[in-house]
Amino acid sequence: MLGTTIPSVRDHIWKEIVTGQKTIGFEFLAANILIQRIRELYINEPSDENLQTYILQLRELFVRNSELASVKKDICKINNMEN
Amino acid sequence: MIFDKLHDLEEIEKKILKGETLLIAADEKLLKKLPAGRWIGGTTTYFMTELGGVCTDKKIFVTELDAVASNINIKTYDENTIENIYLDAPENGFSFIIMPAGSKCHSVFSMEAFSFKDFAMRPLIGWLPGTHLDETGVDKPKAYSGAAPGKSIGGAIVMHVELTGNKLAEVGMLNMFEQGGGDTITFPESGFTAKEAYINGVKVDFAKYIFENNLDLRLPLVTDVNGTFVNTSFCRNFGDDGEVMFYSPVFKTFEYKHAKPVANYAEKFTKKLSMGLGVEMVFSCNCILNYIYSGLDRYSRSDLSGPVTFGEIAYHIHNQTVVYLRIIHNQ
């Protein structure tokens, strides 16, 4: 997975971001705020169902804003982290 | 910054009557006189302009949106409906909110926005109105709208803006403050006030800690939100029970540090803008605390303009920051 293609929802990178196993400082303000929030929620109720919900929510944020230059850079960061 | 400047009342009345779509900032006595139309506005008498910092109750600051907006929807929210703000936002566009501090709506937004359905999924930007600093406690900050001219809004007024064609909205925040190297501060409860805090894990009377450590309350508390520094600013006054008061809530799950002093705020800000951020910027606003603490009233560069505000909103509430909206022409 390279460049500005958004990793699929099944990609392990999303789980690592949501659970805090991997930390990526994003340029996209909304992503940083949302990640902080969903990490807190996941720590409080760490179920598989919640994990899936938060992964979908975070990925959706990148999908909806994928045309922004800052988000493209962030998607590259995710892909570089993944490799 | 291509759209913004200070205008006389008559000029703005003409623009409104022509049907132009406007975001407005001015003293209350001017806002109250504006006719019905496609505008929302809030009270402030402080502005950053081409000429530097200006305080006036005789001019109106306007951001014109007709070049970028294809459709708008002006909507009022209260403490029961503000949770829908992200759901109501257009698919391709942005939402602009003006919300006076101290309302129940402001409290609910500040404390609970993280839990709103579709939080941060679409761009939300805006500001908190204020009054002339000499009138604090006498006048109240207010928001107005062209949908109900002459009447101030109790909760929040929002303009949901759909963008034309291939344009995209980007909301961001500039923070000149960074975490200092001092104690780690956490709070037992979230809220706009704190009687107690944990300093490096030890519970203390927070006001006593501030006095004993001579904390400069002009500098905010700063938390690290996944790499973005987010401020919470101190009110200079303490509560009746000696509780420390803030302009936006502290959260019990966040770790804070007192900010490092910023040696030359205006210069640092100019440097950030020179990195290309100012290109395609349609709106920005800067905090009143930066205006009075960081010398922006004496700032004379032309690359910063916008109302000076009493809280900034970029997805969530911010203090002592600049928030901005860029409209990008997608190739």
Side-chain angles (χ1 to χ4, degrees):
Chain A
M1 189 68 63
L2 294 170
T4 56
T5 305
I6 300 173
S8 84
V9 74
R10 289 178 297 280
D11 198 297
H12 61 93
I13 190 71
W14 296 114
K15 178 182 174 184
E16 290 169 340
I17 294 172
V18 169
T19 57
Q21 288 170 338
K22 281 192 178 166
T23 298
I24 307 174
F26 291 117
E27 291 191 24
F28 187 34
L29 175 63
N32 287 335
I33 296 175
L34 186 63
I35 288 167
Q36 175 87 11
R37 172 62 181 166
I38 60 184
R39 274 186 190 156
E40 279 174 26
L41 291 170
Y42 183 70
I43 288 167
N44 287 336
E45 287 186 55
S47 68
D48 287 347
E49 188 185 349
N50 283 342
L51 179 62
Q52 199 57 24
T53 300
Y54 304 143
I55 286 172
L56 287 171
Q57 199 177 347
L58 181 59
R59 188 176 182 277
E60 178 67 12
L61 181 69
F62 282 95
V63 170
R64 286 192 190 188
N65 293 279
S66 59
E67 293 301 315
L68 293 174
S70 60
V71 175
K72 284 180 180 169
K73 283 185 199 167
D74 288 341
I75 294 167
C76 284
K77 284 185 188 175
I78 294 172
N79 287 324
N80 288 337
M81 186 65 85
E82 185 191 25
N83 289 318
Chain B
M1 188 69 63
I2 52 177
F3 298 120
D4 302 343
K5 66 184 241 197
L6 289 171
H7 295 261
D8 293 322
L9 174 65
E10 295 72 25
E11 284 179 80
I12 299 304
E13 284 175 333
K14 281 182 194 166
K15 283 176 177 288
I16 291 170
L17 294 171
K18 273 167 59 184
E20 292 186 20
T21 307
L22 306 172
L23 304 172
I24 290 173
D27 184 74
E28 183 182 3
K29 60 180 174 290
L30 298 177
L31 284 177
K32 280 166 79 172
K33 291 179 182 170
L34 295 175
R38 294 159 61 91
W39 63 272
I40 62 172
T43 54
T44 183
T45 52
Y46 301 92
F47 308 94
M48 294 308 301
T49 73
E50 292 174 343
L51 305 173
V54 171
C55 176
T56 176
D57 60 359
K58 295 180 175 53
K59 296 278 186 180
I60 297 175
F61 193 96
V62 65
T63 303
E64 300 177 5
L65 294 178
D66 283 325
V68 298
S70 65
N71 194 25
I72 64 154
N73 178 21
I74 295 175
K75 200 163 177 179
T76 303
Y77 293 86
D78 63 20
E79 67 272 22
N80 298 311
T81 57
I82 191 69
E83 65 181 352
N84 297 321
I85 189 166
Y86 282 103
L87 292 174
D88 294 340
E91 192 63 40
N92 180 37
F94 63 93
S95 300
F96 196 100
I97 180 169
I98 301 177
M99 178 170 59
S103 65
K104 283 184 186 169
C105 190
H106 168 230
S107 176
V108 169
F109 182 88
S110 302
M111 295 294 293
E112 299 174 20
F114 292 128
S115 308
F116 291 175
K117 181 79 177 151
D118 273 5
F119 169 71
M121 284 291 159
R122 294 183 179 128
L124 174 68
I125 182 166
W127 55 282
L128 273 59
T131 62
H132 193 288
L133 293 173
D134 293 344
E135 304 295 328
T136 304
V138 181
D139 279 351
K140 283 191 170 176
K142 299 211 174 89
Y144 287 85
S145 136
K151 285 190 238 172
S152 66
I153 308 292
I157 187 75
V158 176
M159 185 185 283
H160 296 291
V161 180
E162 281 180 46
L163 292 173
T164 54
N166 55 351
K167 292 183 174 61
L168 300 168
E170 182 177 52
V171 165
M173 183 263 288
L174 283 178
N175 188 0
M176 301 304 137
F177 293 100
E178 297 173 5
Q179 290 187 317
D183 294 327
T184 298
I185 304 168
T186 55
F187 295 93
E189 299 296 335
S190 301
F192 282 87
T193 63
K195 180 79 178 144
E196 294 174 318
Y198 294 101
I199 305 299
N200 303 322
V202 179
K203 195 181 245 189
V204 299
D205 181 305
F206 193 39
K208 195 173 167 196
Y209 169 82
I210 286 170
F211 285 122
E212 286 176 354
N213 291 274
N214 201 22
L215 247 59
D216 183 348
L217 297 186
R218 295 175 301 174
L219 301 174
L221 294 176
V222 181
T223 189
D224 182 344
V225 175
N226 197 50
T228 297
F229 286 133
V230 173
N231 303 336
T232 302
S233 299
F234 291 99
C235 301
R236 300 300 291 273
N237 299 325
F238 286 61
D240 293 339
D241 294 330
E243 68 270 30
V244 179
M245 304 201 298
F246 307 101
Y247 286 109
S248 64
V250 290
F251 291 93
K252 66 178 179 182
T253 50
F254 289 3
E255 288 189 349
Y256 298 86
K257 283 181 179 285
H258 195 222
K260 276 185 207 167
V262 177
N264 189 333
Y265 180 92
E267 193 177 292
K268 202 172 172 186
F269 187 83
T270 304
K271 197 172 170 185
K272 285 221 177 188
L273 280 182
S274 70
M275 294 162 74
L277 194 60
V279 177
E280 298 169 315
M281 197 180 282
V282 170
F283 173 85
S284 73
C285 59
N286 201 335
C287 182
I288 186 72
L289 299 179
N290 289 335
Y291 186 88
I292 55 178
Y293 296 157
S294 304
L296 291 183
D297 51 340
R298 301 182 301 278
Y299 187 67
S300 60
R301 293 287 299 252
S302 62
D303 45 9
L304 167 72
S305 71
V308 175
T309 56
F310 294 71
E312 301 76 59
I313 296 168
Y315 300 101
H316 196 253
I317 292 268
H318 301 277
N319 296 153
Q320 275 178 277
T321 59
V322 172
V323 299
Y324 63 85
L325 169 69
R326 296 171 76 205
I327 302 296
I328 293 150
H329 302 260
N330 200 16
Q331 301 300 316

